[in-house]
Amino acid sequence: MRRLTSTIALALCLLPLLGAAPATAAPSRRIDYATWDAPADLRSGTLEGLRVTAGRLTLPAGTDTGRWTSPWATPGFALTRLIASWSARTPGDSRVRVAVRGRSGATTSSWDTLARWSAGDRYLRRTTASGQSDDLGSVDVDTWVVPGGVQAYQLRVTLARAAGQPASPAVDSVGAMSSLLPEVSDVATSRPGVAGGIVLDVPRYSQMVHRGDYPRYGGGGEAWCSPTSTSMVLGYYDALPAASAYSWVPEGHVDPWVDHAARMTFDYDYAGTGNWPFNTAYAASLAGHAFVTRLRSLREAERFIAAGIPLVASIAFGPGELTGAPISSTDGHLLVIAGFTDSGDVVVNDPAAATRAGVRRTYDRGEFEDAWLPASGGTVYVIRDDAHPLPANSPGNW
């Protein structure tokens, strides 16, 4: 779960405070996604103690730490929020650290750490680093918050391994969503787009059947909407982890891969499984590609559905605001957008249902956008495999 306030206990799936804008005012919803993925992209940054090998950042033999710094990225507006994403491998005792800094006029901020991350938890407890409010920006769990805005930013990725370990961590891609969104409480409902009548065959898992599972990883139930939603999308691509990965889960547990996903996405600083880029980093290791971005309306979401790509969306709503939901209200919740009815309403897999049988739901288009755009700014996880390329002609946010 993500929180809307600074009180973690209020959240179902952690959700940062971010404004949104009316769907009819697309120019005022400024969103950009920049990525460094191809070998030439990675070589465009500054390499210190690293090399680009087979399209990945790696440590050369005899070197235990190194870092890569991106070129300055300029989204074309004064961003106030940034969320980084990455795809990486961390064999043995190795890890990755992701940081950001910004520039406003003649002022350049200090580097703020966004994540200390490892795919496993044997050697490192993956964490974010909330706070660091020393100059232009501060960190709120996985989101860099810049109240005054910055015109440009850089990402820095540090790779490290235990001394003498031959296996190197490797980073396949690094990216960041930056946004400048007006704060509003409701939005104008978007017109139906290209995905009317398309519903993807996403498997249905319930987070609630895990209530009480593994308190050290959040305790299942209400707290596991994010790893449950991520697992549903991985199941759609037939990309769930091998049984050996979750052999630590005792026999008899329903959908043990969800328990595994919760463990592999748990943020020990935030003490939850709702960290957005931790979920996409986990998914990228299995499906091949994943990142966090924001969309301007359901019309953009429809383009993904038409391309065969389900989305994990972050929403929040009060009593009576989302008709047919399995829970009465939430300060932060994640679910899967699986498709659209002929009339444009949203077909979802909502993991908050008590059992698998109740996971598939249909929500009113306008009510869904009111729960999604003002609460999280239209945040989604984009998870895909090689067989499902991104929709063509991106408006800049993918």
Side-chain angles (χ1 to χ4, degrees):
M1 133 181 2
R2 293 287 312 240
R3 62 176 179 359
L4 282 172
T5 74
S6 60
T7 305
I8 290 177
L10 291 178
L12 279 182
C13 298
L14 273 196
L15 186 58
L17 275 170
L18 294 165
T24 55
S28 67
R29 292 180 52 76
R30 310 297 296 276
I31 308 168
D32 179 76
Y33 184 75
T35 184
W36 293 268
D37 187 1
D41 298 334
L42 295 173
R43 290 191 181 97
S44 72
T46 301
L47 296 164
E48 299 174 80
L50 295 179
R51 62 185 179 185
V52 178
T53 305
R56 303 182 180 99
L57 296 172
T58 60
L59 291 164
T63 302
D64 296 329
T65 186
R67 66 188 183 191
W68 172 88
T69 304
S70 76
W72 284 98
T74 53
F77 52 84
L79 69 98
T80 59
R81 300 291 189 275
L82 180 143
I83 301 168
S85 298
W86 57 92
S87 174
R89 306 174 189 182
T90 54
D93 186 359
S94 65
R95 62 207 62 196
V96 170
R97 178 178 175 182
V98 181
V100 64
R101 70 175 177 177
R103 187 170 62 197
S104 179
T107 302
T108 299
S109 77
S110 62
W111 288 101
D112 289 340
T113 297
L114 296 174
R116 298 179 180 91
W117 184 86
S118 175
D121 56 5
R122 180 179 178 185
Y123 299 101
L124 175 73
R125 290 189 167 190
R126 72 189 72 81
T127 66
T128 45
S130 292
Q132 304 176 78
S133 53
D134 56 328
D135 43 26
L136 297 178
S138 62
V139 177
D140 182 10
V141 188
D142 48 24
T143 304
W144 194 48
V145 180
V146 193
V150 294
Q151 288 73 40
Y153 67 89
Q154 284 181 300
L155 298 179
R156 187 170 71 186
V157 181
T158 302
L159 282 66
R161 61 181 165 188
Q165 174 180 293
S168 171
V171 174
D172 294 280
S173 66
V174 187
M177 184 285 309
S178 54
S179 63
L180 172 63
L181 305 178
E183 296 186 10
V184 297
S185 59
D186 55 21
V187 296
T189 303
S190 65
R191 292 178 289 105
V194 298
I198 300 175
V199 179
L200 304 178
D201 188 19
V202 181
R204 308 172 194 185
Y205 308 145
S206 165
Q207 69 193 75
M208 296 305 185
V209 302
H210 299 278
R211 185 179 281 115
D213 286 1
Y214 300 102
R216 63 186 179 275
Y217 307 131
E222 299 170 339
W224 281 8
C225 60
S226 187
T228 306
S229 296
T230 296
S231 295
M232 285 192 273
V233 176
L234 289 172
Y236 166 77
Y237 293 116
D238 194 24
L240 289 168
S244 59
Y246 51 82
S247 60
W248 57 273
V249 182
E251 288 190 25
H253 277 239
V254 177
D255 303 334
W257 45 84
V258 172
D259 300 78
H260 179 72
R263 178 178 176 179
M264 296 299 105
T265 58
F266 191 76
D267 178 340
Y268 284 86
D269 181 68
Y270 152 56
T273 59
N275 182 304
W276 292 334
F278 282 14
N279 275 263
T280 54
Y282 168 71
S285 70
L286 295 165
H289 311 274
F291 60 94
V292 181
T293 192
R294 291 197 166 113
L295 304 181
R296 298 177 181 87
S297 75
L298 283 172
R299 288 180 64 85
E300 290 187 345
E302 288 192 70
R303 295 182 60 188
F304 285 89
I305 297 301
I309 302 171
L311 299 168
V312 178
S314 180
I315 65 172
F317 56 90
E321 292 179 351
L322 190 60
T323 304
I327 49 178
S328 60
S329 63
T330 172
D331 288 305
H333 181 53
L334 289 125
L335 47 68
V336 179
I337 299 176
F340 292 84
T341 66
D342 290 336
S343 61
D345 287 335
V346 191
V347 180
V348 305
N349 280 14
D350 193 329
T355 65
R356 275 189 176 188
V359 165
R360 178 60 55 84
R361 308 260 168 163
T362 299
Y363 293 148
D364 176 82
R365 187 183 187 93
E367 289 184 350
F368 187 90
E369 286 189 323
D370 282 342
W372 175 48
L373 297 174
S376 74
T379 296
V380 294
Y381 305 167
V382 178
I383 302 169
R384 65 181 185 88
D385 60 12
D386 288 337
H388 293 83
L390 293 170
N393 302 316
S394 164
N397 48 338
W398 66 79

